[in-house]
């Protein structure tokens, strides 16, 4: 199975915002990623708009030719924006409004009723839905009940444990990905994936549909350049 690379461009927006003008231009960066082979663009607008602004999402939707994935906590403002902008995919995360970055998956049991309504609303608007989740059977079963199209595994713990014991680090994800196959949930993954740990993750999770990668990708661009970094990541995936 081919695994899609969706480039998270939050950090490019952060650089732009630090100067108050439009440099670097995130629309150009997104289309250059696509030109070099990326399969999608991901953004994660946060309530303080410290990197991606809500207006960026509308501009990106007009310009992205592959797939736009918008991540975020489903408060009223976020949901209104997503329904108006209609990205191809919306990944719901349980972040607190002031979170530095996503650091946990949904408790899909506790939030089942709320998430079921939100997922249905997004799907009625033609948007594919993914839920950010830890690799635990009980949360996957509840995610299936919620009727989400996909889940995105929170891979932070895998990445942190990879250099110590990669077999141990991947083990819960293998079990969880097999379970997703059995119950009919699509599998995405993201957080702290990089040039060192991505190939092993992909080899061990054959039903991986998409990864979204931002922080390490942008760091790699500083050393190798965007036109090289997209193919470097793509080679690890396929
Ligand atoms: N997935 C989610 C839900 C995220 O919040 C982030 C970070 O914005 C990522 C994936 C990408 O993580 P990273 O920047 O570490 O590649």
């Amino acid at each position: 199975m081919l695994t899609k690379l969706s480039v998270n461009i939050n950090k490019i927006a952060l650089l732009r915002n630090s100067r108050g003008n439009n440099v670097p231009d995130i629309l150009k960066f997104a289309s250059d990623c696509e030109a070099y082979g990326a399969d999608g663009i991901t953004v994660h607008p946060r309530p303080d708009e410290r990197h991606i602004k809500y207006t960026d999402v509308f501009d990106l939707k007009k310009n992205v030719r592959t797939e736009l994935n918008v991540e975020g906590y489903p408060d009223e403002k976020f949901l209104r924006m997503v329904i108006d902008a209609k990205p191809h995919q919306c990944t719901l995360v349980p972040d607190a409004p002031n979170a530095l970055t996503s650091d946990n998956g949904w408790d899909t049991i506790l939030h089942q009723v709320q998430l079921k309504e939100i997922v249905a609303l997004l799907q009625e608007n033609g948007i594919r839905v993914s839920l950010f989740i830890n690799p635990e059977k009980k949360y996957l079963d509840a995610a299936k009940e919620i009727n989400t199209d996909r889940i995105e595994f929170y891979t932070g713990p895998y990445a942190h444990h990879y250099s110590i014991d990669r077999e141990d680090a991947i083990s819960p994800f293998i079990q969880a990905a097999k379970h997703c196959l059995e119950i009919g949930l699509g599998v995405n993954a993201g957080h702290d994936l990089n040039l060192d740990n991505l190939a092993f993750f992909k080899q061990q999770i054959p039903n991986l549909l998409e990864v979204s990668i931002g922080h390490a990708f942008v760091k790699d661009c500083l050393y190798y350049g965007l036109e090289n970094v997209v193919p470097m990541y793509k080679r690890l995936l396929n």
Side-chain angles (χ1 to χ4, degrees):
M1 180 185 285
L2 292 181
T3 302
K4 291 190 169 180
L5 170 67
S6 185
V7 177
N8 179 316
I9 62 169
N10 280 7
K11 292 281 149 65
I12 308 303
L14 190 67
L15 190 58
R16 174 199 63 186
N17 295 358
S18 70
R19 267 298 168 95
N21 56 24
N22 194 34
V23 179
D25 179 342
I26 63 156
L27 296 183
K28 177 161 175 15
F29 190 86
S31 70
D32 286 343
C33 286
E34 292 178 310
Y36 295 130
D39 307 292
I41 301 296
T42 291
V43 290
H44 191 150
R46 293 189 183 268
D48 60 5
E49 299 188 296
R50 63 180 181 266
H51 34 61
I52 290 294
K53 300 178 186 204
Y54 278 42
T55 51
D56 290 331
V57 177
F58 292 89
D59 294 339
L60 283 162
K61 179 60 204 309
K62 281 188 224 135
N63 282 267
V64 166
R65 291 202 186 81
T66 52
E67 279 208 352
L68 180 63
N69 173 41
V70 179
E71 302 172 344
Y73 179 80
D75 62 16
E76 213 182 309
K77 189 176 167 210
F78 176 84
L79 286 174
R80 208 175 319 122
M81 179 273 293
V82 170
I83 286 166
D84 288 347
K86 296 208 177 3
H88 303 87
Q89 177 175 269
C90 178
T91 302
L92 302 175
V93 298
D95 294 1
N98 56 353
L100 191 59
T101 185
S102 313
D103 58 4
N104 213 346
W106 283 102
D107 181 336
T108 46
I109 301 166
L110 186 66
H111 298 285
Q112 190 157 9
V113 175
Q114 174 207 5
L115 285 172
K116 198 167 188 166
E117 263 178 37
I118 294 169
V119 167
L121 177 68
L122 293 171
Q123 287 169 339
E124 278 160 25
N125 281 276
I127 301 162
R128 190 173 75 224
V129 186
S130 181
L131 295 180
F132 196 53
I133 215 167
N134 298 324
E136 285 185 50
K137 185 174 178 297
K138 63 180 180 183
Y139 294 137
L140 296 169
D141 288 334
K144 184 65 189 170
E145 284 291 310
I146 290 166
N147 212 20
T148 186
D149 302 287
R150 296 188 186 181
I151 53 87
E152 177 183 326
F153 284 136
Y154 169 45
T155 49
Y158 162 75
H160 297 140
H161 210 60
Y162 177 83
S163 57
I164 304 161
D165 184 344
R166 68 180 195 170
E167 304 292 341
D168 197 44
I170 197 71
S171 166
F173 293 90
I174 294 177
Q175 300 310 321
K178 276 189 191 148
H179 191 59
C180 286
L181 207 54
E182 284 159 14
I183 63 176
L185 278 178
V187 174
N188 295 344
H191 224 284
D192 296 310
L193 294 173
N194 60 34
L195 289 173
D196 293 329
N197 62 33
L198 181 61
F200 186 66
F201 193 86
K202 160 71 189 180
Q203 283 158 21
Q204 302 294 319
I205 311 288
N207 52 322
L208 183 61
L209 293 170
E210 178 183 298
V211 289
S212 63
I213 306 183
H215 191 80
F217 181 95
V218 171
K219 183 273 284 178
D220 293 325
C221 287
L222 297 178
Y223 287 95
Y224 307 119
L226 177 61
E227 67 179 295
N228 297 311
V229 171
V230 175
M232 284 163 85
Y233 275 89
K234 289 276 295 185
R235 271 198 295 277
L236 300 180
L237 289 171
N238 299 306

